[in-house]
Amino acid sequence: MSIEYTPWPAELAKKYRAKGYWQDKPLTSILSEQLDKNGQGIAVADGQRQITYTELNTYSDNLAGYFAEQGLTHGDTAIVQLPNSLEFYITYFALLKLGVAPVCALFNHQRTELQSYCEILQPKVMIVSSAHSLFGDEQFSHELYNRFSCLTKIITDHSKGNSELKQGYLHKHTFIARDLNPEDVAFFQLSGGSTGTPKLIPRTHNDYLYSVVASKEICELNGDTRYLCALPAPHNFPLSSPGALGVFIAGGTVILANDPSPTVCFPLIERFGITHSALVPPALQLWLQHASATNTDLSSLQVIQVGGAKLSRSVAEQVTPVLGCQLQQVFGMAEGLVNYTRYDDDQELILTTQGRPISDLDEIKIVDEHGSPVAPGESGRLMTRGPYTFRGYYKSPAHNASAFDADGFYSSGDIVKQLPSGHLVVEGRDKDQINRGGEKIAAEEVENHLLGHAQIQQVAIVSMPDEALGEKSCAFVVADQGVKLTTLILRKYLRQLGIADYKVPDKFKFVEQLPLTAVGKVNKKALRATFEQ
Ligand code: AMP
Ligand code: DBH
């Protein structure tokens, strides 16, 4: 059985195929196509260990065989939560080969996030790491088994020594490959979200492979590319823009870092001769500060990609002088559309825009609040559809009704303008989200958690400007009469619920009431304005 998703209309699908953008090949072809020509090339290294393309292929075959022995089969779903490690890619390809669609949680996700993914996806299996605080012992796994009867198995990897996962991939387990339908959902991406519950984005083999193949071409990766993956490996940016999958198509090497700090990354750059990496703006700022004070040799760097949140011109200007390499701005979304500045663009475009779409078949509409197109060059809401932009969140009909227009254009919630060259400039946002240095927080999700507190009457979370992260989050809280809540109490409350740390508001303000708009909704604009000098 195939996993349900909203398909592209037949006439568009025909167009995407006619242009050769949809190749009707599964994502697993990324690996199989390397075997003959480049089997002995190093696919992934993590500082201690490395594996060749042949090994990545054999290990993922073994693991697929092991998963099959455990009863996993085509059409099932899984949740993966692994740190940046060889095991992440081995597991990802093993599941793809079996036709089991995973959602790959970020490593900083906690109990609440994992439980919501379980609720939406009803996974049969989870593959997790004992390095995560939730899986250091059996307690949380027991809770999950009790709560989700769909779950038949939680496989834990141990970073050191032996583990069930390592047994699974290091030993021969027969795997009988079956044909994968390239129109099927290959896996789910995570949306940064703007609603109360996290949303899953079904990505098909055809659409995702196209976005990676085209990205690899634009970014000119080749067999000599040594790509430092310092952001969380499952994130759409370091996975697909062109990310690790783009590097695998090119036959290059992915080097994994645990985090994007210069102390971790600079020695890896020198040791491996890193040519490319992808960063969010706050990490770039740290690299820039650190680069002038280091004697580490960074001369192998060719391109630093920056995306996830808006990069200021003044920071952009420092990249080439300080790091001695090219800057590429990337404006993407797990839902699809990805924009790149091109290497041969005018310097001004590279410094001040977030790039132009990958594809000539990416359709962009910029509209006003009534949905009518704005005049060329004016700013408005970004709407898009195309060969790798999804057509609906998984099992979310009500939300889909407002996230798409009648023609299937997805409303990204970004306020942008488009230059005559096609380049987009991100000017702001019209979604209830905080972008904390590239980490997205759906205000409503955290508000709902706080509203669960017995002594909170009302709450509104908005962004406040921050020098280092661009934005931080502030919660305005109305407590019950006569009750005195404190920041400490509420931080502790949220941590006990088990939400990712980056979602815990940076600041709490206790107020008597919240300002309202004319129609009686909380006036978040007025709340944000309290931070303007
Ligand atoms: P997500 O839906 O979590 O994948 O996040 C995608 C969102 O991140 C976009 O809709 C933008 O709001 C934001 N974003 C990504 N890249 C950039 C960028 N280069 N500049 C500004 N915002 C960005
Ligand atoms: O922020 C993002 O989600 C993002 C940024 C750059 C993304 O999904 C991408 C490139 O593919």
Side-chain angles (χ1 to χ4, degrees), residues 146-180:
N146 285 338
R147 189 159 156 198
F148 300 102
S149 56
C150 54
L151 257 182
T152 58
K153 188 118 185 115
I154 299 177
I155 296 175
T156 310
D157 186 37
H158 303 283
S159 35
K160 299 213 167 58
N162 217 338
S163 71
E164 185 178 350
L165 194 71
K166 291 192 175 68
Q167 290 289 326
Y169 73 75
L170 289 172
H171 296 280
K172 176 84 196 144
H173 296 276
T174 309
F175 165 61
I176 300 154
R178 55 169 286 160
D179 280 346
L180 296 167

PDB file of all heavy atoms in Angstrom, residues 146-180:
ATOM      1  N   ASN A 146       3.459   2.006  25.299  1.00  0.00           N
ATOM      2  CA  ASN A 146       2.144   1.967  25.946  1.00  0.00           C
ATOM      3  C   ASN A 146       1.144   2.846  25.239  1.00  0.00           C
ATOM      4  O   ASN A 146      -0.034   2.532  25.138  1.00  0.00           O
ATOM      5  CB  ASN A 146       2.254   2.439  27.400  1.00  0.00           C
ATOM      6  CG  ASN A 146       2.882   1.360  28.254  1.00  0.00           C
ATOM      7  OD1 ASN A 146       2.845   0.190  27.860  1.00  0.00           O
ATOM      8  ND2 ASN A 146       3.476   1.741  29.370  1.00  0.00           N
ATOM      9  N   ARG A 147       1.630   3.979  24.764  1.00  0.00           N
ATOM     10  CA  ARG A 147       0.709   4.949  24.204  1.00  0.00           C
ATOM     11  C   ARG A 147       0.388   4.684  22.733  1.00  0.00           C
ATOM     12  O   ARG A 147      -0.715   4.985  22.267  1.00  0.00           O
ATOM     13  CB  ARG A 147       1.333   6.334  24.374  1.00  0.00           C
ATOM     14  CG  ARG A 147       0.409   7.407  24.048  1.00  0.00           C
ATOM     15  CD  ARG A 147       0.799   8.719  24.659  1.00  0.00           C
ATOM     16  NE  ARG A 147       0.195   9.747  23.848  1.00  0.00           N
ATOM     17  CZ  ARG A 147       0.567  10.990  23.852  1.00  0.00           C
ATOM     18  NH1 ARG A 147       1.539  11.394  24.634  1.00  0.00           N
ATOM     19  NH2 ARG A 147      -0.037  11.858  23.081  1.00  0.00           N
ATOM     20  N   PHE A 148       1.356   4.142  21.984  1.00  0.00           N
ATOM     21  CA  PHE A 148       1.141   3.975  20.542  1.00  0.00           C
ATOM     22  C   PHE A 148       1.206   2.501  20.173  1.00  0.00           C
ATOM     23  O   PHE A 148       2.290   1.922  20.059  1.00  0.00           O
ATOM     24  CB  PHE A 148       2.172   4.782  19.747  1.00  0.00           C
ATOM     25  CG  PHE A 148       2.096   6.257  20.033  1.00  0.00           C
ATOM     26  CD1 PHE A 148       3.020   6.854  20.878  1.00  0.00           C
ATOM     27  CD2 PHE A 148       1.083   7.033  19.491  1.00  0.00           C
ATOM     28  CE1 PHE A 148       2.941   8.205  21.168  1.00  0.00           C
ATOM     29  CE2 PHE A 148       0.990   8.393  19.773  1.00  0.00           C
ATOM     30  CZ  PHE A 148       1.919   8.976  20.617  1.00  0.00           C
ATOM     31  N   SER A 149       0.027   1.918  19.953  1.00  0.00           N
ATOM     32  CA  SER A 149       0.006   0.475  19.713  1.00  0.00           C
ATOM     33  C   SER A 149       0.568   0.146  18.324  1.00  0.00           C
ATOM     34  O   SER A 149       0.914  -1.006  18.054  1.00  0.00           O
ATOM     35  CB  SER A 149      -1.422  -0.047  19.852  1.00  0.00           C
ATOM     36  OG  SER A 149      -2.247   0.676  18.976  1.00  0.00           O
ATOM     37  N   CYS A 150       0.661   1.157  17.453  1.00  0.00           N
ATOM     38  CA  CYS A 150       1.252   0.937  16.131  1.00  0.00           C
ATOM     39  C   CYS A 150       2.728   0.560  16.226  1.00  0.00           C
ATOM     40  O   CYS A 150       3.267  -0.105  15.348  1.00  0.00           O
ATOM     41  CB  CYS A 150       1.116   2.202  15.283  1.00  0.00           C
ATOM     42  SG  CYS A 150       1.790   3.677  16.116  1.00  0.00           S
ATOM     43  N   LEU A 151       3.389   1.019  17.299  1.00  0.00           N
ATOM     44  CA  LEU A 151       4.850   0.861  17.430  1.00  0.00           C
ATOM     45  C   LEU A 151       5.204  -0.574  17.779  1.00  0.00           C
ATOM     46  O   LEU A 151       4.803  -1.073  18.827  1.00  0.00           O
ATOM     47  CB  LEU A 151       5.359   1.733  18.571  1.00  0.00           C
ATOM     48  CG  LEU A 151       6.072   3.033  18.263  1.00  0.00           C
ATOM     49  CD1 LEU A 151       6.526   3.672  19.552  1.00  0.00           C
ATOM     50  CD2 LEU A 151       7.229   2.862  17.309  1.00  0.00           C
ATOM     51  N   THR A 152       5.956  -1.233  16.888  1.00  0.00           N
ATOM     52  CA  THR A 152       6.336  -2.601  17.194  1.00  0.00           C
ATOM     53  C   THR A 152       7.773  -2.673  17.693  1.00  0.00           C
ATOM     54  O   THR A 152       8.171  -3.650  18.311  1.00  0.00           O
ATOM     55  CB  THR A 152       6.214  -3.509  15.954  1.00  0.00           C
ATOM     56  OG1 THR A 152       7.049  -2.949  14.931  1.00  0.00           O
ATOM     57  CG2 THR A 152       4.783  -3.567  15.452  1.00  0.00           C
ATOM     58  N   LYS A 153       8.562  -1.629  17.404  1.00  0.00           N
ATOM     59  CA  LYS A 153       9.981  -1.752  17.702  1.00  0.00           C
ATOM     60  C   LYS A 153      10.625  -0.378  17.830  1.00  0.00           C
ATOM     61  O   LYS A 153      10.393   0.503  17.006  1.00  0.00           O
ATOM     62  CB  LYS A 153      10.603  -2.501  16.512  1.00  0.00           C
ATOM     63  CG  LYS A 153      12.006  -2.897  16.701  1.00  0.00           C
ATOM     64  CD  LYS A 153      12.158  -4.421  16.665  1.00  0.00           C
ATOM     65  CE  LYS A 153      13.583  -4.762  16.992  1.00  0.00           C
ATOM     66  NZ  LYS A 153      13.864  -5.463  18.155  1.00  0.00           N
ATOM     67  N   ILE A 154      11.432  -0.220  18.889  1.00  0.00           N
ATOM     68  CA  ILE A 154      12.278   0.980  18.982  1.00  0.00           C
ATOM     69  C   ILE A 154      13.718   0.485  18.980  1.00  0.00           C
ATOM     70  O   ILE A 154      14.128  -0.256  19.879  1.00  0.00           O
ATOM     71  CB  ILE A 154      11.972   1.796  20.258  1.00  0.00           C
ATOM     72  CG1 ILE A 154      10.516   2.261  20.231  1.00  0.00           C
ATOM     73  CG2 ILE A 154      12.925   2.987  20.365  1.00  0.00           C
ATOM     74  CD1 ILE A 154      10.071   3.009  21.482  1.00  0.00           C
ATOM     75  N   ILE A 155      14.437   0.842  17.946  1.00  0.00           N
ATOM     76  CA  ILE A 155      15.820   0.370  17.800  1.00  0.00           C
ATOM     77  C   ILE A 155      16.749   1.493  18.239  1.00  0.00           C
ATOM     78  O   ILE A 155      16.675   2.607  17.714  1.00  0.00           O
ATOM     79  CB  ILE A 155      16.096  -0.022  16.335  1.00  0.00           C
ATOM     80  CG1 ILE A 155      15.193  -1.207  15.951  1.00  0.00           C
ATOM     81  CG2 ILE A 155      17.568  -0.360  16.122  1.00  0.00           C
ATOM     82  CD1 ILE A 155      15.285  -1.614  14.507  1.00  0.00           C
ATOM     83  N   THR A 156      17.585   1.189  19.235  1.00  0.00           N
ATOM     84  CA  THR A 156      18.451   2.231  19.782  1.00  0.00           C
ATOM     85  C   THR A 156      19.880   2.020  19.312  1.00  0.00           C
ATOM     86  O   THR A 156      20.413   0.913  19.398  1.00  0.00           O
ATOM     87  CB  THR A 156      18.420   2.197  21.323  1.00  0.00           C
ATOM     88  OG1 THR A 156      17.053   2.186  21.732  1.00  0.00           O
ATOM     89  CG2 THR A 156      19.097   3.418  21.907  1.00  0.00           C
ATOM     90  N   ASP A 157      20.478   3.104  18.830  1.00  0.00           N
ATOM     91  CA  ASP A 157      21.897   3.039  18.490  1.00  0.00           C
ATOM     92  C   ASP A 157      22.703   3.577  19.667  1.00  0.00           C
ATOM     93  O   ASP A 157      22.268   4.507  20.347  1.00  0.00           O
ATOM     94  CB  ASP A 157      22.183   3.884  17.239  1.00  0.00           C
ATOM     95  CG  ASP A 157      23.623   3.710  16.782  1.00  0.00           C
ATOM     96  OD1 ASP A 157      24.139   2.584  16.892  1.00  0.00           O
ATOM     97  OD2 ASP A 157      24.230   4.697  16.339  1.00  0.00           O
ATOM     98  N   HIS A 158      23.846   2.968  19.914  1.00  0.00           N
ATOM     99  CA  HIS A 158      24.753   3.490  20.936  1.00  0.00           C
ATOM    100  C   HIS A 158      25.951   4.053  20.206  1.00  0.00           C
ATOM    101  O   HIS A 158      26.503   3.387  19.334  1.00  0.00           O
ATOM    102  CB  HIS A 158      25.176   2.383  21.904  1.00  0.00           C
ATOM    103  CG  HIS A 158      24.006   1.729  22.566  1.00  0.00           C
ATOM    104  ND1 HIS A 158      23.318   2.319  23.604  1.00  0.00           N
ATOM    105  CD2 HIS A 158      23.370   0.572  22.301  1.00  0.00           C
ATOM    106  CE1 HIS A 158      22.319   1.529  23.961  1.00  0.00           C
ATOM    107  NE2 HIS A 158      22.310   0.470  23.183  1.00  0.00           N
ATOM    108  N   SER A 159      26.310   5.292  20.590  1.00  0.00           N
ATOM    109  CA  SER A 159      27.395   5.912  19.832  1.00  0.00           C
ATOM    110  C   SER A 159      28.681   5.106  19.990  1.00  0.00           C
ATOM    111  O   SER A 159      29.502   5.043  19.094  1.00  0.00           O
ATOM    112  CB  SER A 159      27.581   7.367  20.254  1.00  0.00           C
ATOM    113  OG  SER A 159      27.319   7.521  21.630  1.00  0.00           O
ATOM    114  N   LYS A 160      28.858   4.485  21.169  1.00  0.00           N
ATOM    115  CA  LYS A 160      30.067   3.675  21.364  1.00  0.00           C
ATOM    116  C   LYS A 160      29.659   2.204  21.511  1.00  0.00           C
ATOM    117  O   LYS A 160      28.602   1.892  22.027  1.00  0.00           O
ATOM    118  CB  LYS A 160      30.790   4.112  22.629  1.00  0.00           C
ATOM    119  CG  LYS A 160      31.240   5.553  22.568  1.00  0.00           C
ATOM    120  CD  LYS A 160      32.540   5.794  23.317  1.00  0.00           C
ATOM    121  CE  LYS A 160      33.113   7.153  22.974  1.00  0.00           C
ATOM    122  NZ  LYS A 160      32.177   8.261  23.271  1.00  0.00           N
ATOM    123  N   GLY A 161      30.549   1.321  21.055  1.00  0.00           N
ATOM    124  CA  GLY A 161      30.314  -0.102  21.256  1.00  0.00           C
ATOM    125  C   GLY A 161      29.235  -0.641  20.326  1.00  0.00           C
ATOM    126  O   GLY A 161      28.884  -0.024  19.321  1.00  0.00           O
ATOM    127  N   ASN A 162      28.709  -1.775  20.710  1.00  0.00           N
ATOM    128  CA  ASN A 162      27.774  -2.481  19.851  1.00  0.00           C
ATOM    129  C   ASN A 162      26.350  -1.973  20.058  1.00  0.00           C
ATOM    130  O   ASN A 162      26.044  -1.366  21.072  1.00  0.00           O
ATOM    131  CB  ASN A 162      27.838  -3.968  20.183  1.00  0.00           C
ATOM    132  CG  ASN A 162      27.686  -4.775  18.932  1.00  0.00           C
ATOM    133  OD1 ASN A 162      27.143  -4.282  17.941  1.00  0.00           O
ATOM    134  ND2 ASN A 162      28.144  -6.012  18.965  1.00  0.00           N
ATOM    135  N   SER A 163      25.496  -2.192  19.128  1.00  0.00           N
ATOM    136  CA  SER A 163      24.093  -1.819  19.301  1.00  0.00           C
ATOM    137  C   SER A 163      23.284  -2.626  18.304  1.00  0.00           C
ATOM    138  O   SER A 163      23.829  -3.199  17.361  1.00  0.00           O
ATOM    139  CB  SER A 163      23.890  -0.335  19.044  1.00  0.00           C
ATOM    140  OG  SER A 163      24.033  -0.066  17.660  1.00  0.00           O
ATOM    141  N   GLU A 164      21.970  -2.627  18.530  1.00  0.00           N
ATOM    142  CA  GLU A 164      21.109  -3.370  17.602  1.00  0.00           C
ATOM    143  C   GLU A 164      21.241  -2.796  16.187  1.00  0.00           C
ATOM    144  O   GLU A 164      21.276  -3.539  15.210  1.00  0.00           O
ATOM    145  CB  GLU A 164      19.653  -3.298  18.083  1.00  0.00           C
ATOM    146  CG  GLU A 164      18.743  -4.160  17.230  1.00  0.00           C
ATOM    147  CD  GLU A 164      17.302  -4.161  17.708  1.00  0.00           C
ATOM    148  OE1 GLU A 164      17.021  -3.649  18.813  1.00  0.00           O
ATOM    149  OE2 GLU A 164      16.460  -4.687  16.955  1.00  0.00           O
ATOM    150  N   LEU A 165      21.333  -1.459  16.108  1.00  0.00           N
ATOM    151  CA  LEU A 165      21.439  -0.849  14.778  1.00  0.00           C
ATOM    152  C   LEU A 165      22.732  -1.298  14.088  1.00  0.00           C
ATOM    153  O   LEU A 165      22.724  -1.656  12.902  1.00  0.00           O
ATOM    154  CB  LEU A 165      21.398   0.680  14.895  1.00  0.00           C
ATOM    155  CG  LEU A 165      21.161   1.412  13.578  1.00  0.00           C
ATOM    156  CD1 LEU A 165      19.738   1.232  13.085  1.00  0.00           C
ATOM    157  CD2 LEU A 165      21.478   2.895  13.703  1.00  0.00           C
ATOM    158  N   LYS A 166      23.828  -1.295  14.840  1.00  0.00           N
ATOM    159  CA  LYS A 166      25.111  -1.710  14.235  1.00  0.00           C
ATOM    160  C   LYS A 166      25.072  -3.192  13.860  1.00  0.00           C
ATOM    161  O   LYS A 166      25.557  -3.584  12.794  1.00  0.00           O
ATOM    162  CB  LYS A 166      26.268  -1.398  15.183  1.00  0.00           C
ATOM    163  CG  LYS A 166      26.485   0.118  15.319  1.00  0.00           C
ATOM    164  CD  LYS A 166      27.781   0.479  16.013  1.00  0.00           C
ATOM    165  CE  LYS A 166      28.011   1.982  16.021  1.00  0.00           C
ATOM    166  NZ  LYS A 166      27.066   2.756  16.855  1.00  0.00           N
ATOM    167  N   GLN A 167      24.490  -4.019  14.727  1.00  0.00           N
ATOM    168  CA  GLN A 167      24.296  -5.438  14.378  1.00  0.00           C
ATOM    169  C   GLN A 167      23.537  -5.535  13.061  1.00  0.00           C
ATOM    170  O   GLN A 167      23.840  -6.364  12.220  1.00  0.00           O
ATOM    171  CB  GLN A 167      23.439  -6.149  15.445  1.00  0.00           C
ATOM    172  CG  GLN A 167      24.108  -6.358  16.775  1.00  0.00           C
ATOM    173  CD  GLN A 167      25.183  -7.420  16.678  1.00  0.00           C
ATOM    174  OE1 GLN A 167      25.046  -8.376  15.932  1.00  0.00           O
ATOM    175  NE2 GLN A 167      26.261  -7.232  17.423  1.00  0.00           N
ATOM    176  N   GLY A 168      22.549  -4.675  12.949  1.00  0.00           N
ATOM    177  CA  GLY A 168      21.689  -4.707  11.760  1.00  0.00           C
ATOM    178  C   GLY A 168      22.449  -4.390  10.489  1.00  0.00           C
ATOM    179  O   GLY A 168      22.221  -5.025   9.459  1.00  0.00           O
ATOM    180  N   TYR A 169      23.341  -3.416  10.534  1.00  0.00           N
ATOM    181  CA  TYR A 169      23.952  -3.039   9.255  1.00  0.00           C
ATOM    182  C   TYR A 169      25.318  -3.678   9.017  1.00  0.00           C
ATOM    183  O   TYR A 169      25.740  -3.801   7.871  1.00  0.00           O
ATOM    184  CB  TYR A 169      23.980  -1.517   9.060  1.00  0.00           C
ATOM    185  CG  TYR A 169      24.961  -0.689   9.864  1.00  0.00           C
ATOM    186  CD1 TYR A 169      26.316  -0.669   9.563  1.00  0.00           C
ATOM    187  CD2 TYR A 169      24.518   0.150  10.885  1.00  0.00           C
ATOM    188  CE1 TYR A 169      27.202   0.133  10.277  1.00  0.00           C
ATOM    189  CE2 TYR A 169      25.397   0.952  11.611  1.00  0.00           C
ATOM    190  CZ  TYR A 169      26.744   0.932  11.294  1.00  0.00           C
ATOM    191  OH  TYR A 169      27.608   1.719  11.991  1.00  0.00           O
ATOM    192  N   LEU A 170      26.010  -4.082  10.114  1.00  0.00           N
ATOM    193  CA  LEU A 170      27.346  -4.662   9.904  1.00  0.00           C
ATOM    194  C   LEU A 170      27.272  -6.123   9.489  1.00  0.00           C
ATOM    195  O   LEU A 170      28.206  -6.656   8.911  1.00  0.00           O
ATOM    196  CB  LEU A 170      28.189  -4.524  11.179  1.00  0.00           C
ATOM    197  CG  LEU A 170      28.648  -3.099  11.516  1.00  0.00           C
ATOM    198  CD1 LEU A 170      29.310  -3.056  12.891  1.00  0.00           C
ATOM    199  CD2 LEU A 170      29.588  -2.559  10.442  1.00  0.00           C
ATOM    200  N   HIS A 171      26.155  -6.777   9.793  1.00  0.00           N
ATOM    201  CA  HIS A 171      26.034  -8.191   9.461  1.00  0.00           C
ATOM    202  C   HIS A 171      25.153  -8.376   8.234  1.00  0.00           C
ATOM    203  O   HIS A 171      24.269  -7.585   7.972  1.00  0.00           O
ATOM    204  CB  HIS A 171      25.468  -8.965  10.655  1.00  0.00           C
ATOM    205  CG  HIS A 171      26.401  -8.920  11.825  1.00  0.00           C
ATOM    206  ND1 HIS A 171      27.493  -9.722  11.927  1.00  0.00           N
ATOM    207  CD2 HIS A 171      26.418  -8.103  12.903  1.00  0.00           C
ATOM    208  CE1 HIS A 171      28.154  -9.427  13.040  1.00  0.00           C
ATOM    209  NE2 HIS A 171      27.522  -8.444  13.650  1.00  0.00           N
ATOM    210  N   LYS A 172      25.429  -9.460   7.565  1.00  0.00           N
ATOM    211  CA  LYS A 172      24.681  -9.753   6.343  1.00  0.00           C
ATOM    212  C   LYS A 172      23.224 -10.098   6.680  1.00  0.00           C
ATOM    213  O   LYS A 172      22.964 -11.010   7.464  1.00  0.00           O
ATOM    214  CB  LYS A 172      25.366 -10.928   5.639  1.00  0.00           C
ATOM    215  CG  LYS A 172      24.662 -11.413   4.408  1.00  0.00           C
ATOM    216  CD  LYS A 172      25.055 -10.583   3.193  1.00  0.00           C
ATOM    217  CE  LYS A 172      24.074 -10.810   2.052  1.00  0.00           C
ATOM    218  NZ  LYS A 172      23.814  -9.616   1.267  1.00  0.00           N
ATOM    219  N   HIS A 173      22.313  -9.339   6.144  1.00  0.00           N
ATOM    220  CA  HIS A 173      20.888  -9.694   6.240  1.00  0.00           C
ATOM    221  C   HIS A 173      20.359  -9.587   4.824  1.00  0.00           C
ATOM    222  O   HIS A 173      20.520  -8.555   4.192  1.00  0.00           O
ATOM    223  CB  HIS A 173      20.126  -8.716   7.143  1.00  0.00           C
ATOM    224  CG  HIS A 173      20.572  -8.751   8.564  1.00  0.00           C
ATOM    225  ND1 HIS A 173      20.098  -9.663   9.480  1.00  0.00           N
ATOM    226  CD2 HIS A 173      21.478  -7.999   9.222  1.00  0.00           C
ATOM    227  CE1 HIS A 173      20.671  -9.462  10.638  1.00  0.00           C
ATOM    228  NE2 HIS A 173      21.521  -8.460  10.518  1.00  0.00           N
ATOM    229  N   THR A 174      19.779 -10.648   4.367  1.00  0.00           N
ATOM    230  CA  THR A 174      19.383 -10.647   2.961  1.00  0.00           C
ATOM    231  C   THR A 174      18.268  -9.638   2.717  1.00  0.00           C
ATOM    232  O   THR A 174      17.282  -9.593   3.447  1.00  0.00           O
ATOM    233  CB  THR A 174      18.917 -12.053   2.532  1.00  0.00           C
ATOM    234  OG1 THR A 174      19.946 -12.936   2.932  1.00  0.00           O
ATOM    235  CG2 THR A 174      18.693 -12.133   1.040  1.00  0.00           C
ATOM    236  N   PHE A 175      18.503  -8.840   1.717  1.00  0.00           N
ATOM    237  CA  PHE A 175      17.503  -7.844   1.363  1.00  0.00           C
ATOM    238  C   PHE A 175      17.094  -8.067  -0.085  1.00  0.00           C
ATOM    239  O   PHE A 175      17.925  -8.022  -0.986  1.00  0.00           O
ATOM    240  CB  PHE A 175      18.086  -6.438   1.549  1.00  0.00           C
ATOM    241  CG  PHE A 175      17.277  -5.370   0.873  1.00  0.00           C
ATOM    242  CD1 PHE A 175      15.953  -5.146   1.233  1.00  0.00           C
ATOM    243  CD2 PHE A 175      17.834  -4.582  -0.125  1.00  0.00           C
ATOM    244  CE1 PHE A 175      15.203  -4.166   0.604  1.00  0.00           C
ATOM    245  CE2 PHE A 175      17.081  -3.602  -0.762  1.00  0.00           C
ATOM    246  CZ  PHE A 175      15.775  -3.393  -0.394  1.00  0.00           C
ATOM    247  N   ILE A 176      15.820  -8.319  -0.270  1.00  0.00           N
ATOM    248  CA  ILE A 176      15.337  -8.502  -1.638  1.00  0.00           C
ATOM    249  C   ILE A 176      14.731  -7.187  -2.092  1.00  0.00           C
ATOM    250  O   ILE A 176      13.651  -6.790  -1.619  1.00  0.00           O
ATOM    251  CB  ILE A 176      14.320  -9.660  -1.714  1.00  0.00           C
ATOM    252  CG1 ILE A 176      15.021 -10.938  -1.234  1.00  0.00           C
ATOM    253  CG2 ILE A 176      13.786  -9.838  -3.132  1.00  0.00           C
ATOM    254  CD1 ILE A 176      14.091 -11.967  -0.663  1.00  0.00           C
ATOM    255  N   ALA A 177      15.461  -6.513  -2.972  1.00  0.00           N
ATOM    256  CA  ALA A 177      15.005  -5.192  -3.415  1.00  0.00           C
ATOM    257  C   ALA A 177      13.708  -5.338  -4.201  1.00  0.00           C
ATOM    258  O   ALA A 177      13.543  -6.289  -4.955  1.00  0.00           O
ATOM    259  CB  ALA A 177      16.076  -4.551  -4.283  1.00  0.00           C
ATOM    260  N   ARG A 178      12.805  -4.408  -3.978  1.00  0.00           N
ATOM    261  CA  ARG A 178      11.603  -4.413  -4.804  1.00  0.00           C
ATOM    262  C   ARG A 178      11.546  -3.091  -5.547  1.00  0.00           C
ATOM    263  O   ARG A 178      12.223  -2.136  -5.182  1.00  0.00           O
ATOM    264  CB  ARG A 178      10.343  -4.614  -3.948  1.00  0.00           C
ATOM    265  CG  ARG A 178      10.189  -3.606  -2.832  1.00  0.00           C
ATOM    266  CD  ARG A 178       8.840  -3.675  -2.206  1.00  0.00           C
ATOM    267  NE  ARG A 178       7.823  -3.096  -3.087  1.00  0.00           N
ATOM    268  CZ  ARG A 178       6.536  -3.351  -2.995  1.00  0.00           C
ATOM    269  NH1 ARG A 178       6.099  -4.196  -2.090  1.00  0.00           N
ATOM    270  NH2 ARG A 178       5.663  -2.757  -3.787  1.00  0.00           N
ATOM    271  N   ASP A 179      10.762  -3.059  -6.591  1.00  0.00           N
ATOM    272  CA  ASP A 179      10.672  -1.819  -7.356  1.00  0.00           C
ATOM    273  C   ASP A 179       9.983  -0.757  -6.529  1.00  0.00           C
ATOM    274  O   ASP A 179       8.956  -1.014  -5.902  1.00  0.00           O
ATOM    275  CB  ASP A 179       9.870  -2.063  -8.642  1.00  0.00           C
ATOM    276  CG  ASP A 179      10.738  -2.720  -9.691  1.00  0.00           C
ATOM    277  OD1 ASP A 179      11.982  -2.731  -9.502  1.00  0.00           O
ATOM    278  OD2 ASP A 179      10.178  -3.237 -10.679  1.00  0.00           O
ATOM    279  N   LEU A 180      10.562   0.421  -6.522  1.00  0.00           N
ATOM    280  CA  LEU A 180       9.928   1.535  -5.836  1.00  0.00           C
ATOM    281  C   LEU A 180       9.220   2.369  -6.875  1.00  0.00           C
ATOM    282  O   LEU A 180       9.731   2.555  -7.991  1.00  0.00           O
ATOM    283  CB  LEU A 180      10.999   2.379  -5.136  1.00  0.00           C
ATOM    284  CG  LEU A 180      11.778   1.678  -4.024  1.00  0.00           C
ATOM    285  CD1 LEU A 180      13.003   2.490  -3.631  1.00  0.00           C
ATOM    286  CD2 LEU A 180      10.875   1.441  -2.813  1.00  0.00           C
TER     287      LEU A 180
END
